[in-house]
């Protein structure tokens, strides 16, 4: 099954609403007339509304970097799926390694968030990835299988058309150290095999699996040429319109 390439930026805790709108103005020409792929930006919650307004009519998908699984309630500091949609978002990144590491998000919490995003109609970009010790010891295969299973534990009965998985080796995030295209391909083929055993062949072959970790304009094309790399999730290089343009036009 053909999987539409998905190229997403993750701005992390960078950019005010004004800076976001300025980025979109500079970036718009890169997506004008670009077909056969989807381009997305995961922005700070405070910039959602202004980024979405600036991106109106461009086809750029705007989303959040986190969410709470409840619809509303006494959860100080959190935002819900409904709030993201109200601000113009249609996607959320879930379980990024920075959230798992600095905010103690477990697979159980991530699973609730994935289920909430999918049942609320958002594109859910579920992030997975092993650390350097797990890569070097060879534990990564079992670790990723477990992380995938745990993070998808609550999707039973849900429509999975909006599920996207992002493989982001922790040792490659923000380090300038990219997994080689071969290494990423081999790992993502493993993730797809695990997806098949959890959710069946049809879901596994339809689900886009992105690679993330020091993606830059000069390595995007070789990564995108791999059969199991259906897109990229980009941190640092998505902050400047020219470098993210180079990536989306890989
Ligand atoms: C990320 O934050 O998802 C990421 C992949 O960061 P970077 O591209 O900066 O390595």
């Amino acid at each position: 099954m053909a999987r539409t390439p998905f190229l997403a930026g993750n701005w992390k805790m960078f950019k005010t609403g004004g800076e976001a709108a300025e980025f979109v103005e500079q970036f718009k020409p890169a997506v004008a007339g670009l077909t056969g792929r989807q381009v997305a930006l995961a922005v700070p919650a405070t910039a959602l509304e202004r980024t979405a307004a600036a991106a109106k009519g461009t086809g750029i998908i705007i989303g959040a970097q986190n969410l709470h699984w409840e619809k509303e309630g006494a959860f100080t500091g959190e935002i819900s799926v409904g709030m993201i949609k109200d601000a113009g978002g249609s996607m959320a990144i879930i379980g990024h390694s920075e959230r798992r590491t600095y905010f103690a998000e477990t697979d159980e919490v991530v699973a609730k968030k994935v289920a909430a995003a999918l049942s609320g109609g958002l594109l859910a970009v579920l992030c997975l990835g092993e650390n350097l010790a797990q890569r070097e010891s060879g534990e990564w295969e079992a670790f990723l299988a477990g992380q995938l299973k745990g993070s998808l534990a609550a999707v039973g009965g849900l429509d999975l058309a909006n599920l996207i998985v992002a493989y982001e080796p922790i040792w490659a995030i923000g380090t300038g150290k990219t997994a080689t295209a071969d290494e990423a391909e081999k790992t993502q083929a493993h993730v797809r095999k695990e997806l098949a055993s959890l959710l069946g062949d049809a879901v596994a072959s339809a689900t886009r699996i992105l690679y993330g970790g020091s993606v830059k304009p000069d390595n995007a094309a070789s990564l995108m040429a791999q059969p199991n790399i259906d897109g990229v999730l980009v941190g640092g290089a998505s902050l400047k319109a020219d470098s993210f343009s180079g990536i989306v036009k890989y």
Side-chain angles (χ1 to χ4, degrees):
M1 171 189 274
R3 296 182 291 263
T4 305
F6 193 87
L7 304 125
N10 168 20
W11 283 352
K12 312 192 185 198
M13 199 172 72
F14 292 99
K15 296 196 193 295
T16 60
E19 288 163 347
E22 198 181 315
F23 173 100
V24 172
E25 280 315 310
Q26 292 167 359
F27 180 66
K28 264 182 188 174
V31 288
L34 198 62
T35 54
R37 62 198 72 183
Q38 288 181 299
V39 175
L41 290 169
V43 309
T46 49
L48 264 175
E49 197 153 0
R50 282 180 76 179
T51 319
K56 207 161 182 211
T58 63
I60 303 168
I61 295 164
I62 305 300
Q65 302 169 8
N66 181 35
L67 55 85
H68 194 279
W69 59 88
E70 293 290 350
K71 287 191 169 61
E72 59 184 9
F75 301 105
T76 302
E78 295 291 308
I79 59 169
S80 69
V81 171
M83 291 169 185
I84 293 168
K85 288 163 66 174
D86 177 63
S90 54
M91 169 190 83
I93 294 180
I94 299 170
H96 190 281
S97 62
E98 288 153 15
R99 300 235 30 112
R100 294 178 186 261
T101 304
Y102 305 130
F103 303 99
E105 283 194 12
T106 59
D107 287 345
E108 204 183 346
V109 162
V110 170
K112 290 192 214 178
K113 294 184 177 192
V114 170
L118 292 175
S119 45
L122 292 182
L123 281 167
V125 181
L126 163 65
C127 300
L128 311 170
E130 80 285 356
N131 64 28
L132 189 58
Q134 290 162 330
R135 169 58 50 178
E136 287 175 343
S137 67
E139 270 173 82
W140 61 270
E141 267 181 309
F143 176 78
L144 291 174
Q147 207 176 34
L148 189 69
K149 186 173 181 196
S151 304
L152 291 173
V155 299
L158 294 175
D159 182 353
L160 300 176
N162 282 341
L163 174 67
I164 295 176
V165 175
Y167 165 60
E168 298 208 305
I170 295 173
W171 48 271
I173 296 180
T175 58
K177 198 168 162 183
T178 327
T180 63
D182 282 353
E183 210 170 11
E185 166 59 22
K186 183 176 167 212
T187 309
Q188 298 196 186
H190 167 65
V191 171
R192 198 176 304 284
K193 185 171 75 56
E194 293 300 320
L195 260 181
S197 76
L198 289 169
L199 301 171
D201 289 341
V203 170
S205 67
T207 301
R208 288 171 287 183
I209 305 180
L210 318 182
Y211 168 77
S214 298
V215 176
K216 305 279 181 273
D218 61 0
N219 60 19
S222 64
L223 290 161
M224 290 302 294
Q226 304 300 317
N228 283 293
I229 300 183
D230 308 311
V232 288
L233 182 55
V234 185
S238 71
L239 290 168
K240 293 232 157 65
D242 58 351
S243 56
F244 196 46
S245 301
I247 291 171
V248 302
K249 295 199 228 166
Y250 66 93

